[in-house]
Amino acid sequence: MSAGDFENPNQVQLNEDEVRAGVIEAHKKGIKVAAHAQGAEGIKIAIRAGVDSVEHAFHIDDEAIDMMKVNGTFVVPTMIAMKRIIDRPEEVPAWMIERATTHWQAHQKSVARAAMAGVNIAMGTDAGTPFNGFANESAVEMDMMVEFGHMTPQQVLQSATINAAKLMGISDNYGMIAVGQYADFSVIQENPNDNMKAIQEKDKWVFQHGQPVVFHQEENIIS
């Protein structure tokens, strides 16, 4: 038996009461709860239990979409996590490739359906999984959300800014450029609404609280 025989997206590991107990205790302390759920039943258990976000969510059905909209549940697709595995079949166990390829098409359709229905979507990468680090993966994920998740560029930009800030509970200070908010933003040469890959370009200004902290352009570097 391989590790893949003991875990697949359709297996439910916690029942609704168990998840709800964790959610209640976390929310008492003002802590957000993210559920790593992939199969349809696990996703719906997490939503009913009151989690703030569902990570991955490979199989979102119509019932889950309706529940997410009523409850305000966020989806964090993490498309790069699966795609990076699929793209390197020679470097990971066979069961990982089988699981990733089996659910990849469903994952793409689920993200597209959720976005079209107006479900809250926040950008995340599941960093730390194979070939999925902490460098430019967020920018790559945003492009994948357009290419494979069929989200509009505007939806993707919102997922990484205002939606992410709302999910994290910091939207009073972050997530948009507005009076009274911290001026954290980047300046790039090309409009990502026209080409989401522009987010990945190295030539950019990065500002934190209104002050430039990084500037990469040819030979000029400020850190």
CSV table of all heavy atoms in Angstrom, one decimal, residues 111-143:
chain,number,residue,atom,x,y,z
A,111,VAL,N,-13.3,26.2,-9.4
A,111,VAL,CA,-12.9,27.6,-9.2
A,111,VAL,C,-13.7,28.5,-10.1
A,111,VAL,O,-14.2,29.6,-9.7
A,111,VAL,CB,-11.4,27.8,-9.4
A,111,VAL,CG1,-11.0,29.3,-9.4
A,111,VAL,CG2,-10.6,27.0,-8.4
A,112,ALA,N,-13.8,28.1,-11.3
A,112,ALA,CA,-14.6,28.9,-12.3
A,112,ALA,C,-16.0,29.1,-11.9
A,112,ALA,O,-16.6,30.2,-11.9
A,112,ALA,CB,-14.5,28.3,-13.7
A,113,ARG,N,-16.7,28.0,-11.4
A,113,ARG,CA,-18.1,28.1,-11.0
A,113,ARG,C,-18.2,29.0,-9.8
A,113,ARG,O,-19.2,29.7,-9.7
A,113,ARG,CB,-18.6,26.7,-10.7
A,113,ARG,CG,-18.7,25.8,-12.0
A,113,ARG,CD,-19.1,24.4,-11.6
A,113,ARG,NE,-20.3,24.3,-10.9
A,113,ARG,CZ,-20.7,23.2,-10.2
A,113,ARG,NH1,-19.9,22.1,-10.1
A,113,ARG,NH2,-21.9,23.1,-9.7
A,114,ALA,N,-17.3,28.8,-8.8
A,114,ALA,CA,-17.4,29.6,-7.6
A,114,ALA,C,-17.3,31.1,-7.9
A,114,ALA,O,-18.0,32.0,-7.4
A,114,ALA,CB,-16.4,29.2,-6.6
A,115,ALA,N,-16.3,31.4,-8.8
A,115,ALA,CA,-16.1,32.8,-9.1
A,115,ALA,C,-17.2,33.4,-9.9
A,115,ALA,O,-17.7,34.5,-9.6
A,115,ALA,CB,-14.8,32.9,-10.0
A,116,MET,N,-17.8,32.6,-10.8
A,116,MET,CA,-18.9,33.1,-11.6
A,116,MET,C,-20.2,33.3,-10.7
A,116,MET,O,-21.0,34.3,-10.9
A,116,MET,CB,-19.3,32.1,-12.7
A,116,MET,CG,-20.4,32.6,-13.6
A,116,MET,SD,-20.6,31.4,-15.0
A,116,MET,CE,-19.1,31.6,-15.9
A,117,ALA,N,-20.3,32.5,-9.7
A,117,ALA,CA,-21.4,32.6,-8.8
A,117,ALA,C,-21.3,33.7,-7.7
A,117,ALA,O,-22.2,34.0,-7.0
A,117,ALA,CB,-21.7,31.3,-8.1
A,118,GLY,N,-20.1,34.3,-7.6
A,118,GLY,CA,-19.9,35.4,-6.7
A,118,GLY,C,-19.4,34.9,-5.3
A,118,GLY,O,-19.6,35.7,-4.3
A,119,VAL,N,-18.9,33.7,-5.2
A,119,VAL,CA,-18.3,33.3,-3.9
A,119,VAL,C,-17.1,34.1,-3.6
A,119,VAL,O,-16.3,34.5,-4.5
A,119,VAL,CB,-18.0,31.8,-4.0
A,119,VAL,CG1,-17.2,31.3,-2.8
A,119,VAL,CG2,-19.3,30.9,-4.2
A,120,ASN,N,-16.9,34.3,-2.3
A,120,ASN,CA,-15.7,35.0,-1.9
A,120,ASN,C,-14.5,34.2,-2.2
A,120,ASN,O,-14.4,33.0,-1.7
A,120,ASN,CB,-15.7,35.3,-0.4
A,120,ASN,CG,-16.8,36.4,0.0
A,120,ASN,OD1,-17.0,37.3,-0.8
A,120,ASN,ND2,-17.4,36.2,1.1
A,121,ILE,N,-13.5,34.7,-2.9
A,121,ILE,CA,-12.3,34.0,-3.2
A,121,ILE,C,-11.1,34.8,-2.8
A,121,ILE,O,-11.0,36.0,-3.1
A,121,ILE,CB,-12.2,33.6,-4.7
A,121,ILE,CG1,-13.3,32.7,-5.1
A,121,ILE,CG2,-10.8,33.0,-5.0
A,121,ILE,CD1,-13.3,32.3,-6.6
A,122,ALA,N,-10.2,34.2,-2.0
A,122,ALA,CA,-8.9,34.8,-1.6
A,122,ALA,C,-7.7,34.0,-2.2
A,122,ALA,O,-7.8,32.8,-2.3
A,122,ALA,CB,-8.8,34.9,-0.1
A,123,MET,N,-6.7,34.8,-2.6
A,123,MET,CA,-5.5,34.1,-3.2
A,123,MET,C,-4.6,33.5,-2.1
A,123,MET,O,-4.4,34.1,-1.1
A,123,MET,CB,-4.8,35.2,-4.0
A,123,MET,CG,-3.6,34.6,-4.8
A,123,MET,SD,-2.1,34.3,-3.9
A,123,MET,CE,-1.6,36.0,-3.5
A,124,GLY,N,-4.2,32.3,-2.3
A,124,GLY,CA,-3.2,31.7,-1.5
A,124,GLY,C,-2.5,30.6,-2.3
A,124,GLY,O,-2.9,30.2,-3.4
A,125,THR,N,-1.3,30.1,-1.8
A,125,THR,CA,-0.5,29.2,-2.6
A,125,THR,C,-0.3,27.8,-1.9
A,125,THR,O,0.2,26.9,-2.6
A,125,THR,CB,0.9,29.8,-2.9
A,125,THR,OG1,1.6,29.9,-1.6
A,125,THR,CG2,0.7,31.1,-3.5
A,126,ASP,N,-0.6,27.6,-0.7
A,126,ASP,CA,-0.3,26.4,0.0
A,126,ASP,C,1.2,26.2,0.0
A,126,ASP,O,1.7,25.1,-0.1
A,126,ASP,CB,-1.0,25.2,-0.6
A,126,ASP,CG,-1.1,24.0,0.4
A,126,ASP,OD1,-1.2,24.3,1.6
A,126,ASP,OD2,-1.1,22.9,-0.1
A,127,ALA,N,2.0,27.3,0.2
A,127,ALA,CA,3.4,27.2,0.2
A,127,ALA,C,4.0,26.2,1.1
A,127,ALA,O,3.5,26.0,2.2
A,127,ALA,CB,4.0,28.6,0.5
A,128,GLY,N,5.0,25.5,0.6
A,128,GLY,CA,5.7,24.4,1.4
A,128,GLY,C,5.4,23.1,0.8
A,128,GLY,O,6.1,22.1,1.2
A,129,THR,N,4.4,23.0,-0.1
A,129,THR,CA,4.2,21.7,-0.7
A,129,THR,C,5.2,21.5,-1.8
A,129,THR,O,6.0,22.5,-2.1
A,129,THR,CB,2.8,21.7,-1.4
A,129,THR,OG1,2.6,22.8,-2.2
A,129,THR,CG2,1.7,21.6,-0.3
A,130,PRO,N,5.4,20.3,-2.4
A,130,PRO,CA,6.5,20.1,-3.4
A,130,PRO,C,6.6,21.2,-4.5
A,130,PRO,O,5.6,21.5,-5.1
A,130,PRO,CB,6.1,18.7,-4.0
A,130,PRO,CG,5.4,18.0,-2.9
A,130,PRO,CD,4.6,19.1,-2.2
A,131,PHE,N,7.8,21.7,-4.6
A,131,PHE,CA,8.1,22.7,-5.7
A,131,PHE,C,7.3,24.0,-5.6
A,131,PHE,O,7.1,24.7,-6.5
A,131,PHE,CB,7.9,22.1,-7.1
A,131,PHE,CG,8.3,20.6,-7.2
A,131,PHE,CD1,7.4,19.6,-7.3
A,131,PHE,CD2,9.6,20.3,-7.1
A,131,PHE,CE1,7.7,18.3,-7.4
A,131,PHE,CE2,10.0,18.9,-7.2
A,131,PHE,CZ,9.1,17.9,-7.3
A,132,ASN,N,6.8,24.3,-4.4
A,132,ASN,CA,5.9,25.4,-4.2
A,132,ASN,C,6.5,26.2,-3.0
A,132,ASN,O,6.2,25.8,-1.8
A,132,ASN,CB,4.5,24.9,-3.9
A,132,ASN,CG,3.5,26.0,-3.7
A,132,ASN,OD1,3.7,27.1,-4.1
A,132,ASN,ND2,2.4,25.6,-3.2
A,133,GLY,N,7.3,27.2,-3.2
A,133,GLY,CA,8.0,27.9,-2.2
A,133,GLY,C,7.4,29.2,-1.7
A,133,GLY,O,6.2,29.4,-1.8
A,134,PHE,N,8.3,30.1,-1.4
A,134,PHE,CA,7.9,31.4,-0.8
A,134,PHE,C,8.5,32.5,-1.6
A,134,PHE,O,8.7,33.6,-1.0
A,134,PHE,CB,8.4,31.4,0.7
A,134,PHE,CG,7.8,30.3,1.5
A,134,PHE,CD1,8.4,29.1,1.6
A,134,PHE,CD2,6.6,30.6,2.3
A,134,PHE,CE1,7.8,28.1,2.4
A,134,PHE,CE2,6.1,29.6,3.1
A,134,PHE,CZ,6.7,28.3,3.1
A,135,ALA,N,8.8,32.3,-2.8
A,135,ALA,CA,9.4,33.4,-3.7
A,135,ALA,C,8.3,34.1,-4.5
A,135,ALA,O,7.6,35.0,-4.0
A,135,ALA,CB,10.5,32.8,-4.5
A,136,ASN,N,8.2,33.7,-5.8
A,136,ASN,CA,7.3,34.4,-6.6
A,136,ASN,C,6.0,33.6,-6.9
A,136,ASN,O,5.2,33.9,-7.8
A,136,ASN,CB,7.9,34.7,-8.0
A,136,ASN,CG,8.2,33.5,-8.8
A,136,ASN,OD1,8.3,32.4,-8.2
A,136,ASN,ND2,8.2,33.6,-10.1
A,137,GLU,N,5.7,32.6,-6.0
A,137,GLU,CA,4.6,31.7,-6.2
A,137,GLU,C,3.3,32.5,-6.2
A,137,GLU,O,2.3,32.1,-6.9
A,137,GLU,CB,4.6,30.6,-5.2
A,137,GLU,CG,5.5,29.4,-5.5
A,137,GLU,CD,7.0,29.7,-5.3
A,137,GLU,OE1,7.3,30.8,-4.7
A,137,GLU,OE2,7.8,29.0,-5.8
A,138,SER,N,3.1,33.5,-5.4
A,138,SER,CA,1.9,34.2,-5.3
A,138,SER,C,1.5,34.9,-6.7
A,138,SER,O,0.4,34.8,-7.1
A,138,SER,CB,1.9,35.3,-4.2
A,138,SER,OG,2.0,34.8,-3.0
A,139,ALA,N,2.6,35.4,-7.3
A,139,ALA,CA,2.3,36.0,-8.6
A,139,ALA,C,2.0,34.9,-9.7
A,139,ALA,O,1.1,35.2,-10.5
A,139,ALA,CB,3.6,36.8,-9.1
A,140,VAL,N,2.6,33.8,-9.6
A,140,VAL,CA,2.3,32.7,-10.5
A,140,VAL,C,0.9,32.2,-10.2
A,140,VAL,O,0.1,31.9,-11.2
A,140,VAL,CB,3.3,31.5,-10.3
A,140,VAL,CG1,2.9,30.3,-11.2
A,140,VAL,CG2,4.7,32.0,-10.7
A,141,GLU,N,0.5,32.0,-9.0
A,141,GLU,CA,-0.8,31.6,-8.6
A,141,GLU,C,-1.9,32.5,-9.2
A,141,GLU,O,-2.9,32.1,-9.8
A,141,GLU,CB,-1.0,31.6,-7.1
A,141,GLU,CG,-2.4,31.4,-6.6
A,141,GLU,CD,-2.9,29.9,-6.8
A,141,GLU,OE1,-2.1,29.0,-7.0
A,141,GLU,OE2,-4.2,29.7,-6.7
A,142,MET,N,-1.7,33.8,-9.2
A,142,MET,CA,-2.6,34.8,-9.7
A,142,MET,C,-2.8,34.6,-11.2
A,142,MET,O,-3.9,34.6,-11.7
A,142,MET,CB,-2.2,36.2,-9.4
A,142,MET,CG,-2.2,36.5,-7.9
A,142,MET,SD,-1.5,38.1,-7.5
A,142,MET,CE,-2.7,39.3,-8.2
A,143,ASP,N,-1.7,34.3,-11.9
A,143,ASP,CA,-1.9,34.0,-13.4
A,143,ASP,C,-2.6,32.7,-13.6
A,143,ASP,O,-3.4,32.6,-14.5
A,143,ASP,CB,-0.5,34.0,-14.0
A,143,ASP,CG,-0.5,33.8,-15.5
A,143,ASP,OD1,-1.3,34.6,-16.1
A,143,ASP,OD2,0.2,33.0,-16.1
